[in-house]
Amino acid sequence: MGKVFVVGDKYTVSLFRMVGTEGDFIDDPYNLPDLISKLKKREDIDLILITKDMYEPIKEKIDPIIADQRKPLITIIPSPFSESKPLDVRKMIMKALGFG
């Protein structure tokens, strides 16, 4: 079974690490495309979660990557500091595993 990798602020990444998820925090959202390129090369990752606050400033650069990507699945999640609709984690995981 593949891994989940989270990218975002220190608080969000720390929370995900507490439950055993790999992650990396970045201060500058403009470093995100390079990090995604590195993560796409890893065969063990099935799902990359990116916090909304990292995605929003550069979404025009990230959207083509997300639209063109099959594995790992890349999705945007709310951070504790952003407003968003509820997240269906089960649905995301099932989709990443190829069942959705």
Side-chain angles (χ1 to χ4, degrees):
M1 180 148 84
K3 295 180 181 180
V4 176
F5 194 97
V6 65
V7 179
D9 59 272
K10 287 182 180 184
Y11 182 76
T12 303
V13 172
S14 296
L15 288 174
F16 274 87
R17 283 182 179 167
M18 288 173 62
V19 295
T21 303
E22 278 189 69
D24 198 4
F25 55 86
I26 54 176
D27 295 323
D28 184 3
Y30 292 94
N31 293 333
L32 188 55
D34 291 335
L35 180 58
I36 290 174
S37 294
K38 290 177 189 176
L39 294 173
K40 285 176 20 178
K41 295 176 185 174
R42 288 186 48 184
E43 294 290 325
D44 62 331
I45 297 176
D46 283 340
L47 178 63
I48 299 173
L49 304 174
I50 301 171
T51 58
K52 187 176 179 180
D53 54 331
M54 290 295 146
Y55 163 79
E56 286 292 329
I58 59 166
K59 63 182 172 183
E60 58 279 338
K61 290 184 179 185
I62 300 297
D63 282 343
I65 297 170
I66 292 173
D68 202 32
Q69 191 66 25
R70 298 258 185 244
K71 183 183 176 197
L73 177 67
I74 301 171
T75 192
I76 310 305
I77 61 169
S79 72
F81 313 107
S82 65
E83 292 184 28
S84 185
K85 60 184 177 182
L87 180 65
D88 188 350
V89 176
R90 184 179 188 284
K91 184 176 179 181
M92 273 190 336
I93 291 172
M94 294 303 284
K95 187 174 179 182
L97 297 174
F99 297 108

